[in-house]
Amino acid sequence: MSPKSFYELVFSVSPGAARKDAHYVVGTLDEVKRALDSELSASTNVYLLCWHSTKLALNVYERGECVHSINLHPYITVSVDGYPDITFLESGKPVGYEVGADDPYKVETALSDGMFSGELDDAIEATVDWASVEVPAPAGEIAVDGDYVKLVDHPSGDGNDEGYEDDEDFDEDDFDEDELEDELIERGYVPYGFSDFEE
């Protein structure tokens, strides 16, 4: 099985009070943008982004190997009606919301509670400055819908570029469609599109 090239959008939260481990395997940057827009359209996800240690990254894979990883936090702005804009440090820490506040903790609590409860659903807008994100186009054969790939951060621990070496004797023709899907998943592959490793 020949390893493909693709983009992986990761939106995950370490186990704890909140859990999320969403991965999007796609072949174009437009698909990445749509996936992130979808994630940031939910106030609960904006809540996780702002107030939990969230990993938000765009990984570029070439021929099955992760060759580039971009932390997307610094490119995101969260606007909430009645509050200063929230931006993020490289570390993912939110800043800006406390500007001019006598009690920053009170502001943080109001924003956090409002995002979590859904009270601020109609007041939140999250935008990504894609013009400032330098995303290299992956070389090689690009993955398409129906393909399976291996990821570095797959929970099986098998997702790495060396994993493809174990599949050199793997022949897809030895399996029917249902068996092939089961075999690929067993070998640590994930399908093109959305996967949630928390499910």
Side-chain angles (χ1 to χ4, degrees):
M1 177 176 248
S2 176
K4 301 286 183 72
S5 300
F6 56 92
Y7 296 108
E8 178 200 16
L9 175 67
V10 181
F11 192 139
S12 66
V13 179
S14 300
R19 298 181 75 121
K20 182 180 181 69
D21 200 4
H23 298 255
Y24 293 83
V25 170
V26 294
T28 68
L29 193 53
D30 283 343
E31 290 173 282
V32 171
K33 293 176 181 180
R34 287 195 297 270
L36 187 53
D37 283 347
S38 176
E39 288 288 338
L40 295 178
S41 68
S43 62
T44 52
N45 286 338
V46 176
Y47 162 79
L48 293 175
L49 183 68
C50 290
W51 315 117
H52 288 267
S53 298
T54 301
K55 178 180 180 180
L56 183 61
L58 174 56
N59 298 323
V60 181
Y61 283 74
E62 286 187 359
R63 300 177 183 91
E65 180 180 355
C66 185
V67 296
H68 200 68
S69 185
I70 302 166
N71 175 12
L72 294 175
H73 283 97
Y75 304 102
I76 294 179
T77 299
V78 175
S79 301
V80 183
D81 291 349
Y83 295 90
D85 284 350
I86 301 170
T87 56
F88 298 86
L89 302 178
E90 189 76 23
S91 65
K93 178 182 178 182
V95 293
Y97 65 88
E98 75 282 10
V99 172
D102 293 331
D103 186 348
Y105 178 74
K106 186 175 181 179
V107 175
E108 179 181 329
T109 301
L111 284 167
S112 174
D113 291 349
M115 289 175 182
F116 184 76
S117 68
E119 287 179 29
L120 295 175
D121 279 0
D122 296 329
I124 297 174
E125 181 181 11
T127 56
V128 185
D129 180 14
W130 284 110
S132 298
V133 186
E134 296 183 14
V135 185
E141 184 181 358
I142 304 299
V144 296
D145 191 20
D147 284 337
Y148 283 76
V149 301
K150 282 192 173 181
L151 303 176
V152 169
D153 48 6
H154 191 280
S156 71
D158 295 332
N160 57 58
D161 55 309
E162 296 173 355
Y164 285 99
E165 296 174 5
D166 299 334
D167 299 322
E168 288 177 355
D169 60 346
F170 178 60
D171 188 350
E172 297 181 46
D173 295 333
D174 292 341
F175 305 90
D176 67 29
E177 190 173 329
D178 291 334
E179 290 174 335
L180 178 59
E181 182 177 349
D182 291 342
E183 180 67 19
L184 288 170
I185 292 171
E186 180 70 23
R187 287 173 175 259
Y189 285 83
V190 297
Y192 189 96
F194 172 75
S195 294
D196 185 353
F197 295 159
E198 280 299 322
E199 290 184 345

